[in-house]
Amino acid sequence: MHLSSTIFGLVALANETVSLTLSVASSPENASSPLLYGLFFEDIYHSGDGGMYGELIRNRAFQGTQDGNGQTGSPSLTPTTRYWSAVGSGVSFNIDSSTPKLSSALASHMKVSVPRGATGQVGFCNDGYYGFSVDSTKRYIADFYFRGTYTGNMTTYFQSTLNGQRFSAVNTSISQTSAQGWKQYYTDVFNPSSSAPNANNTLCFSFDGSKLAGQSIYVNLISAFKQTFNNRANGLREDLAMALSDMNQAYLRLPGGNNLEGNAPPYFLNWTQTVGPLENRPGFPGTWGSTQTNGLGLVELMQWAEDMNLDVVLGVWGGLYLNGATITQADLSPYVQLALDEMEFLTGDTSTKFGALRAQHGRSAPFKVPYVEIGNEDFLNNGYNSYVNYRFNAFYQALSPRYPNVNYISTVEWTPPSGVAVDLHPYGNESYFKSLFNAFDHKPRSIPLFVAEYAVTNSGNNTGQTGAQTFGMALAEAIFLLGCERNSDVVKGTSYGALIKSYDEAPDTVAVIKQTADEVLLTMSYYVQKLFSTYYGKDGALSVAASGGGFDPYYWAASKSGSRTILKVVSYGGSKSSVAVVVNGSKATGATLVRMSAPSSTRINNLKSRGGESSSITTLQLNSAGGQAGTFSLPFAAGYELAILLVDG
Ligand SMILES: *[C@@H]1O[C@H](CO)[C@@H](O)[C@H](O)[C@H]1NC(C)=O
Ligand SMILES: *[C@@H]1O[C@H](CO)[C@@H](O)[C@H](O)[C@H]1NC(C)=O
Ligand SMILES: *[C@@H]1O[C@H](CO)[C@@H](O)[C@H](O)[C@H]1NC(C)=O
Ligand SMILES: *[C@@H]1O[C@H](CO)[C@@H](O)[C@H](O)[C@H]1NC(C)=O
Ligand SMILES: *[C@@H]1O[C@H](CO)[C@@H](O)[C@H](O)[C@H]1NC(C)=O
Ligand SMILES: *[C@@H]1O[C@H](CO)[C@@H](O)[C@H](O)[C@H]1NC(C)=O
Ligand SMILES: *[C@@H]1O[C@H](CO)[C@@H](O)[C@H](O)[C@H]1NC(C)=O
Ligand SMILES: *[C@@H]1O[C@H](CO)[C@@H](O)[C@H](O)[C@H]1NC(C)=O
């Protein structure tokens, strides 16, 4: 009986016909937000250092290495020599802070001691962020500061930790005495002699041991970059940045959420410590378990936005630390001034104090900052009352007269001053997100909304996070986004949290993208967001009338882009069948169907080395049904699927 009912079920699925007919209006009813699909970045689980930031060396300037696994770490700025190892027998090293120091921000350095009688090569190797990508088709460069007495070559090479194979060698001539203090050296730009088959490599710097026998040398800010996105100095990791650029998003929220807040006094993400020469950036005990270099600082983040043509949503610190410590009203003014200075630094011309500082740091043209968000999740840890009572207003009343064309965003749900938006951050399971489909249908139109963080973190119950999103989770997000798109007159922007995480560090929590040193995992959510923004009509939301059924298991939204009608339909447990579509007023006798599918709702995408992607995107051409212009039969090949119908004219 069990068997036959299963067979019956399968037959029924194959034969089922759906009577659902969707008719799409010919012209837009409401405006749609040009900003609707965006990115939210913060350094979480090595999405900055070891992720988007192109720096390959880990613990490059001894700024603290209390790297835990996610929030279990308790980052500090206590220097260690972690992630470094010695070349040459008897070579040892320790943290040293003798004078001269490289800078007051980078006051500790590594002392490398070479034993008497040393011969051969001596030096040090770095572990990288879970290894190094060694790719002979790419250019690399390394540099560092040196103090000591040495005249000879320094050899830089990648080496496999599995079999000792060397992949490259570039020599740099050093000639220096101790009395000269710190000097900076750059290697020539080099290509590895061959590519490594995996990331299990170190990067080493070695010296002629006989010349250093019985001596010590000092090194600091030891840096190496593979060629970066747009070839920027101190730039972004190229493959990750290209994956993000391919998403066709509209904004970048920076520099973080909880990470902006900081764990506890006195550490919040103070922008002044993230700009200027790297020697002047002391590092930051981040909120997500690891110490950060701040190498990917404010200007680098702004440059990222500019290079990808993204509008900036700038988060300024709002007076609340993550542990609940709050700046009192009486003590708030230096922090308000810090936000004013930050805006002047970014947008002021070079005649202003901080605009001049920006120019001094190499960027004379002002940046554009159209959106400012005051704080992050200020309802956390009893922050709500101080936020609505004085914190929000202190910042808003100082910033808005000075920068009246900026759109301001508050981080709690309340009735803010007119024109100010509210940012909501839903996280939860798949069924919760499905239920949010109509969450915005009845929101007051007077308060603009952002969903500048969201994610389906679990498939079923709320216990434990799911490693990589299943197709079902990504489709539940898609249903939620359809609800945003239908209401994009009031929902101004959406962005997933978190954007990027290290696969090595956080395999068990969700992100849009995960990286290892030499691979990039594009999750199911990545493809949903990419398709949603690539096929999105900025010329208005179209109403859709349904007959023969309502929402569930099919969900939809339509928009207009020029003469193109875009209809998105998610089938979340529907049947393998067709939905009838009529585009009112259309003369089109053909349409394009872009379809995202996966073998089942529980499948995930993975790293190439671990099975690769199971989702796929196919493009089909449809003829109009019965030759009737504007009338189509939209076929679903599986119960869980995303279909995007493009009708031109
Ligand atoms: C499309 O046109 C039909 C017939 O005129 C009408 O019944 C339907 O409501 C229209 N659809 C929309 C969404 O306006
Ligand atoms: C290679 O590197 C990965 C990632 O760091 C690590 O998990 C693995 O143990 C390494 N393999 C070997 C054989 O060292
Ligand atoms: C680099 O210098 C070392 C000596 O310091 C030398 O043995 C080696 O041949 C040089 N390598 C190249 C590629 O010239
Ligand atoms: C140093 O390296 C250069 C370039 O690789 C090489 O020509 C030179 O011979 C090396 N010098 C010594 C002393 O090995
Ligand atoms: C931000 O950092 C700068 C530079 O370290 C420091 O002078 C300033 O006091 C900090 N601002 C606040 C409000 O803590
Ligand atoms: C899913 O999340 C919702 C909202 O948080 C919760 O009410 C529900 O119990 C969760 N479902 C399961 C199966 O745990
Ligand atoms: C929650 O879901 C996970 C994954 O499906 C499952 O392993 C676990 O047993 C469930 N826990 C409860 C309390 O239902
Ligand atoms: C347009 O906005 C109104 C609310 O002002 C809403 O009821 C309606 O569903 C929206 N239509 C579309 C197509 O988004």
Side-chain angles (χ1 to χ4, degrees):
M1 191 182 138
H2 184 74
L3 184 66
S4 63
S5 72
T6 305
I7 290 168
F8 176 77
L10 287 175
V11 171
L13 183 67
N15 287 346
E16 200 171 333
T17 54
V18 174
S19 55
L20 182 63
T21 299
L22 302 179
S23 92
V24 183
S26 52
S27 52
E29 182 182 354
N30 298 330
S32 55
S33 169
L35 211 64
L36 188 60
Y37 297 108
L39 305 174
F40 160 56
F41 174 79
E42 74 175 328
D43 196 343
I44 171 172
Y45 304 151
H46 291 103
S47 52
D49 286 336
M52 271 305 264
Y53 185 39
E55 176 64 78
L56 302 177
I57 301 279
R58 192 165 186 177
N59 194 21
R60 68 179 180 187
F62 317 102
Q63 291 160 289
T65 51
Q66 301 302 302
D67 274 356
N69 222 346
Q71 271 182 309
T72 58
S74 44
S76 79
L77 295 173
T78 307
T80 73
T81 57
R82 195 172 169 194
Y83 307 117
W84 292 97
S85 59
V87 174
S89 90
V91 172
S92 64
F93 37 67
N94 58 285
I95 292 294
D96 181 86
S97 48
S98 60
T99 51
K101 300 168 191 297
L102 178 58
S103 63
S104 59
L106 302 182
S108 300
H109 36 260
M110 187 162 74
K111 178 180 180 182
V112 182
S113 303
V114 180
R116 276 176 220 288
T119 56
Q121 293 286 298
V122 298
F124 39 88
C125 304
N126 188 258
D127 294 347
Y129 290 96
Y130 308 97
F132 290 87
S133 158
V134 180
D135 182 344
S136 64
T137 68
K138 301 289 179 182
R139 289 172 279 110
Y140 292 73
I141 190 167
D143 68 278
F144 68 106
Y145 284 89
F146 183 94
R147 204 182 97 196
T149 299
Y150 182 73
T151 298
N153 279 335
M154 186 214 27
T155 305
T156 304
Y157 55 94
F158 286 110
Q159 184 163 31
S160 167
T161 53
L162 301 180
N163 60 17
Q165 185 188 346
R166 288 193 182 194
F167 295 96
S168 60
V170 59
N171 276 349
T172 309
S173 168
I174 292 185
S175 177
Q176 189 175 353
T177 64
S178 238
Q180 290 174 296
W182 292 99
K183 275 177 74 175
Q184 190 176 23
Y185 293 90
Y186 285 86
T187 66
D188 290 338
V189 172
F190 65 98
N191 287 62
S193 48
S194 60
S195 296
N198 50 48
N200 295 72
N201 307 296
T202 58
L203 178 58
C204 303
F205 301 84
S206 72
F207 305 79
D208 184 339
S210 62
K211 294 180 177 170
L212 287 177
Q215 290 189 58
S216 295
I217 56 171
Y218 303 86
V219 288
N220 205 349
L221 199 49
I222 307 137
S223 173
F225 278 76
K226 188 177 171 180
Q227 72 190 54
T228 59
F229 183 64
N230 277 6
N231 292 315
R232 297 272 172 219
N234 200 41
L236 305 178
R237 178 171 150 173
E238 193 183 37
D239 55 355
L240 281 175
M242 282 169 67
L244 293 181
S245 177
D246 285 349
M247 288 175 81
N248 302 312
Q249 302 287 304
Y251 73 85
L252 179 63
R253 176 181 168 221
L254 61 88
N258 296 141
N259 198 49
L260 169 67
E261 296 176 79
N263 283 322
Y267 294 113
F268 64 92
L269 201 49
N270 178 340
W271 71 270
T272 65
Q273 299 174 357
T274 75
V275 300
L278 297 178
E279 305 80 293
N280 294 350
R281 305 188 195 182
F284 176 65
T287 292
W288 296 100
S290 42
T291 311
Q292 294 161 209
T293 65
N294 285 342
L296 182 57
L298 182 61
V299 171
E300 289 80 13
L301 291 170
M302 294 297 295
Q303 187 70 62
W304 163 3
E306 209 172 77
D307 281 352
M308 291 188 197
N309 200 21
L310 302 167
D311 275 339
V312 166
V313 176
L314 174 73
V316 298
W317 195 67
L320 175 73
Y321 296 91
L322 199 53
N323 73 347
T326 308
I327 307 298
T328 63
Q329 192 162 7
D331 291 340
L332 203 55
S333 62
Y335 301 89
V336 172
Q337 189 60 47
L338 195 65
L340 286 166
D341 295 347
E342 183 172 8
M343 282 299 282
E344 186 175 289
F345 177 80
L346 291 175
T347 66
D349 66 46
T350 53
S351 67
T352 64
K353 178 179 170 194
F354 287 96
L357 180 65
R358 183 191 65 240
Q360 188 191 316
H361 292 339
R363 164 79 190 205
S364 45
F367 289 106
K368 291 197 179 77
V369 181
Y371 298 85
V372 169
E373 179 155 19
I374 296 169
N376 172 70
E377 296 180 354
D378 287 270
F379 51 84
L380 289 174
N381 294 311
N382 299 318
Y384 183 93
N385 286 341
S386 60
Y387 190 74
V388 304
N389 289 343
Y390 66 88
R391 289 192 292 117
F392 177 83
N393 278 323
F395 287 90
Y396 179 67
Q397 283 166 9
L399 286 162
S400 59
R402 196 84 65 87
Y403 302 100
N405 297 326
V406 166
N407 302 282
Y408 294 90
I409 305 170
S410 97
T411 75
V412 306
E413 203 168 7
W414 61 318
T415 304
S418 170
V420 171
V422 158
D423 181 9
L424 309 170
H425 292 179
Y427 287 98
N429 62 34
E430 212 169 304
S431 61
Y432 173 59
F433 265 71
K434 239 178 75 176
S435 78
L436 292 179
F437 172 68
N438 58 8
F440 303 116
D441 290 359
H442 305 291
K443 288 281 186 190
R445 269 32 203 174
S446 55
I447 304 176
L449 298 173
F450 271 82
V451 187
E453 291 183 35
Y454 70 87
V456 172
T457 51
N458 307 71
S459 51
N461 55 53
N462 293 338
T463 324
Q465 275 197 38
T466 305
Q469 298 83 306
T470 63
F471 191 43
M473 290 164 76
L475 288 182
E477 288 164 0
I479 290 168
F480 169 73
L481 291 175
L482 289 174
C484 295
E485 199 170 302
R486 274 164 25 101
N487 289 280
S488 64
D489 57 321
V490 64
V491 180
K492 299 302 176 191
T494 65
S495 38
Y496 189 102
L499 182 57
I500 308 171
K501 286 177 185 172
S502 159
Y503 181 89
D504 295 292
E505 184 182 358
D508 299 328
T509 60
V510 297
V512 184
I513 294 182
K514 288 198 179 174
Q515 91 282 5
T516 63
D518 64 348
E519 285 189 85
V520 174
L521 192 175
L522 306 176
T523 67
M524 302 267 186
S525 300
Y526 171 90
Y527 287 107
V528 164
Q529 288 167 54
K530 177 177 170 171
L531 290 173
F532 267 58
S533 61
T534 303
Y535 302 108
Y536 171 56
K538 292 182 179 167
D539 295 328
L542 296 168
S543 62
V544 180
S547 59
F551 296 120
D552 192 12
Y554 296 94
Y555 296 84
W556 55 83
S559 59
K560 195 90 180 170
S561 177
S563 60
R564 169 174 279 191
T565 296
I566 301 167
L567 173 67
K568 295 179 176 127
V569 184
V570 169
S571 172
Y572 185 90
S575 56
K576 207 169 128 182
S577 184
S578 297
V579 169
V581 175
V582 181
V583 178
N584 284 359
S586 169
K587 297 191 172 61
T589 54
T592 301
L593 168 59
V594 180
R595 174 193 278 166
M596 179 177 169
S597 43
S600 83
S601 64
T602 57
R603 290 291 293 272
I604 63 166
N605 283 351
N606 214 327
L607 295 166
K608 204 177 214 170
S609 61
R610 290 177 183 252
E613 297 184 353
S614 64
S615 68
S616 59
I617 293 165
T618 48
T619 302
L620 308 165
Q621 298 304 320
L622 301 183
N623 292 323
S624 62
Q628 221 176 323
T631 301
F632 301 93
S633 178
L634 183 59
F636 284 87
Y640 287 81
E641 208 161 78
L642 164 61
I644 302 176
L645 188 68
L646 311 173
V647 181
D648 291 311

